Amino acid sequence: MTTFVDRVELHVAAGNGGHGCASVHREKFKPLGGPDGGNGGRGGDVTLVVDQSVTTLLDYHHSPHRKATNGQPGAGDHRSGKDGQDLVLPVPDGTVVLDKKGNVLADLVGEGTTYIAGQGGRGGLGNAALASARRKAPGFALLGVPGESADIVLELKTVADVALVGYPSAGKSSLISVLSAAKPKIADYPFTTLVPNLGVVTAGATVYTIADVPGLIPGASQGKGLGLEFLRHVERCSVLVHVLDTATLESDRDPVSDLDIIEEELRQYGGLDDRPRIVVLNKIDIPDGQDLADMIRPDLEARGYQVFEVSAVARTGLKELSFALAGIVAEARAAKPKEEATRIVIRPKAVDDAGFTVAFDEANEVYRVRGEKPERWIRQTDFNNDEAVGYLADRLNRLGVEDALMKAGARSGDGVAIGPEENAVVFDWEPTMMAGAEMLGRRGEDHRLEAPRPAAQRRRDREAERDEAEQEFKEFGPF
């Protein structure tokens, strides 16, 4: 049964905002008490938070679909809907968040680091909040905005200072067990370690973490064995330690060739050339192991490696190794730039930034309006209510959409699309549709929308002529 998972695909959905309420206060002797519809509640966010007590992504492997709660709709008597509850997902330290295309969205390192994977939708305003001096009793309310949905990939990259790399059964697990308090599974067969093991080592005043990376064999960088699954766990380390088996029972292997093969796999994986290397010759407690270590040590030192001879069983040479690693880790930490306190950066909106764009879509013969505000207003509008549609026209006009359409060459009756291309709202544009909120009418109606639309009629006439021509072609053939 799987107990360690370091890569999952997660489907998150934030909560939808609650709808606003359209209500009129009714009381004895007060037949027109005014609008009293409350606002809808905000939808809950989906937030990833680093938790040091979490070490695996196993929970999300079994339950990959996570959704925050929706905001509640508003009610009469000025009662606002309850906000949706935020969904907080704990993740291990060192989790990288990517989109489906592999682009990095966030790198979560450090206790308490957060990332909002899905923003909850805002609640719609009730008619009490929409009332103004000119629109005293709105017969509509705004709809809640849907929450964000996303498919993301979580990858765990172990946060360790030292990474032990080497062939299976080279003694990495034994070494980490005697250098730290970690108790990994140890056996005399290959691929004993199926997950990265972490241990904490104290050497003088320096405390650092050490991890062993399982399953490195020839072809690991191309997916052979277990290496490709766990090579990402060495990316954050400060130093690489090659653990070489000087007492291997395999006749076709020797420590130097093992080192060359592992180095080639690390090179093909990429991004690790700048990490300092140390070579550990393990199992010198065996007579043949000590003899082989004496033979190959000069060659390794000639290559520039710092070499240590140790025995995890006899516990020899461990003190020198731990202090040497502590020195390299301390130097790497000192070389890192100091982290500055988070600053709040305020970027004022440019005076000529309208917040939307207008462009003509030749393929569909419509003018497309793209922008955060217009698209949100479209989602908030109840198109079954003419008064709400008129209010939308007012907002777009005040934003400057009508002027931009005129500058783009739009004429009366031309099609205008607002929203994503696959789910846009398309309507016939009529210039100077000033929303006369002062234009009184029955609640829920806007008489401007009852005016004839000549462009729409011309389009219907053209379609009728085309259908008639096609029918004649079928009956009489080409002339």
Side-chain angles (χ1 to χ4, degrees), residues 377-395:
W377 293 346
I378 285 290
R379 295 193 296 268
Q380 289 182 306
T381 301
D382 178 9
F383 287 95
N384 294 320
N385 187 305
D386 288 347
E387 190 178 354
V389 177
Y391 177 69
L392 171 64
D394 289 346
R395 303 178 87 181

Side-chain angles (χ1 to χ4, degrees), residues 194-250:
L194 299 179
V195 301
N197 293 306
L198 278 176
V200 179
V201 181
T202 302
T206 304
V207 179
Y208 57 92
T209 56
I210 186 170
D212 68 326
V213 181
L216 290 188
I217 59 174
S221 59
Q222 281 75 43
K224 188 175 180 181
L226 302 176
L228 185 60
E229 296 295 325
F230 300 112
L231 271 170
R232 70 173 68 98
H233 293 276
V234 305
E235 292 184 17
R236 302 185 192 274
C237 66
S238 301
V239 56
L240 292 173
V241 178
H242 284 282
V243 181
L244 304 181
D245 185 357
T246 60
T248 179
L249 299 178
E250 300 180 29

Side-chain angles (χ1 to χ4, degrees), residues 135-451:
R135 183 181 285 106
K136 298 183 181 298
F140 67 97
L142 298 185
L143 304 179
V145 177
E148 294 179 347
S149 298
D151 295 332
I152 59 177
V153 176
L154 304 183
E155 283 189 355
L156 174 58
K157 296 182 179 180
T158 303
V159 180
D161 299 299
V162 179
L164 304 181
V165 296
Y167 260 75
S169 297
K172 300 186 297 296
S173 298
S174 299
L175 191 58
I176 198 173
S177 68
V178 295
L179 285 173
S180 68
K183 301 299 180 186
K185 179 181 179 181
I186 300 172
D188 58 353
Y189 53 84
F191 297 109
T192 304
T193 306
L194 299 179
V195 301
N197 293 306
L198 278 176
V200 179
V201 181
T202 302
T206 304
V207 179
Y208 57 92
T209 56
I210 186 170
D212 68 326
V213 181
L216 290 188
I217 59 174
S221 59
Q222 281 75 43
K224 188 175 180 181
L226 302 176
L228 185 60
E229 296 295 325
F230 300 112
L231 271 170
R232 70 173 68 98
H233 293 276
V234 305
E235 292 184 17
R236 302 185 192 274
C237 66
S238 301
V239 56
L240 292 173
V241 178
H242 284 282
V243 181
L244 304 181
D245 185 357
T246 60
T248 179
L249 299 178
E250 300 180 29
S251 58
D252 58 342
R253 283 179 49 201
D254 66 86
V256 176
S257 62
D258 288 354
L259 173 64
D260 293 337
I261 291 173
I262 298 301
E263 275 292 334
E264 177 62 19
E265 295 303 319
L266 296 175
R267 186 192 65 79
Q268 292 186 18
Y269 184 74
L272 302 171
D273 295 338
D274 60 334
R275 312 301 164 85
R277 265 77 161 166
I278 284 181
V279 173
V280 172
L281 301 177
N282 193 22
K283 303 182 183 180
I284 61 169
D285 54 301
I286 300 175
D288 292 342
Q290 182 63 66
D291 295 340
L292 184 56
D294 295 337
M295 292 174 56
I296 64 175
R297 178 165 186 162
D299 182 21
L300 297 174
E301 291 178 341
R303 297 187 184 188
Y305 291 110
Q306 190 175 1
V307 182
F308 292 87
E309 299 178 5
V310 304
S311 170
V313 175
R315 301 193 176 220
T316 58
L318 301 179
K319 184 176 181 180
E320 294 83 356
L321 174 61
S322 63
F323 275 87
L325 293 174
I328 297 176
V329 170
E331 292 178 3
R333 290 174 179 174
K336 288 183 179 180
K338 294 183 179 180
E339 296 184 1
E340 297 182 359
T342 303
R343 296 181 179 180
I344 299 176
V345 180
I346 299 177
R347 295 183 175 87
K349 180 181 177 182
V351 293
D352 58 346
D353 183 6
F356 66 91
T357 60
V358 176
F360 183 66
D361 184 352
E362 296 183 359
N364 298 293
E365 297 184 351
V366 295
Y367 288 87
R368 290 200 175 276
V369 180
R370 305 302 298 268
E372 188 269 333
K373 281 187 177 180
E375 294 182 19
R376 186 181 75 240
W377 293 346
I378 285 290
R379 295 193 296 268
Q380 289 182 306
T381 301
D382 178 9
F383 287 95
N384 294 320
N385 187 305
D386 288 347
E387 190 178 354
V389 177
Y391 177 69
L392 171 64
D394 289 346
R395 303 178 87 181
L396 294 175
N397 188 30
R398 288 195 298 268
L399 187 63
V401 173
E402 182 169 324
D403 293 337
L405 286 170
M406 288 183 177
K407 292 179 181 179
R411 296 184 301 173
S412 175
D414 286 344
V416 176
I418 304 179
E421 186 170 353
E422 65 278 1
N423 190 26
V425 174
V426 183
F427 58 90
D428 294 330
W429 177 58
E430 292 297 332
T432 62
M433 281 189 64
M434 290 297 295
E438 70 280 1
M439 299 179 183
L440 302 179
R442 292 186 297 177
R443 285 170 52 80
E445 296 182 354
D446 192 312
H447 67 82
R448 294 168 300 167
L449 302 178
E450 300 174 1

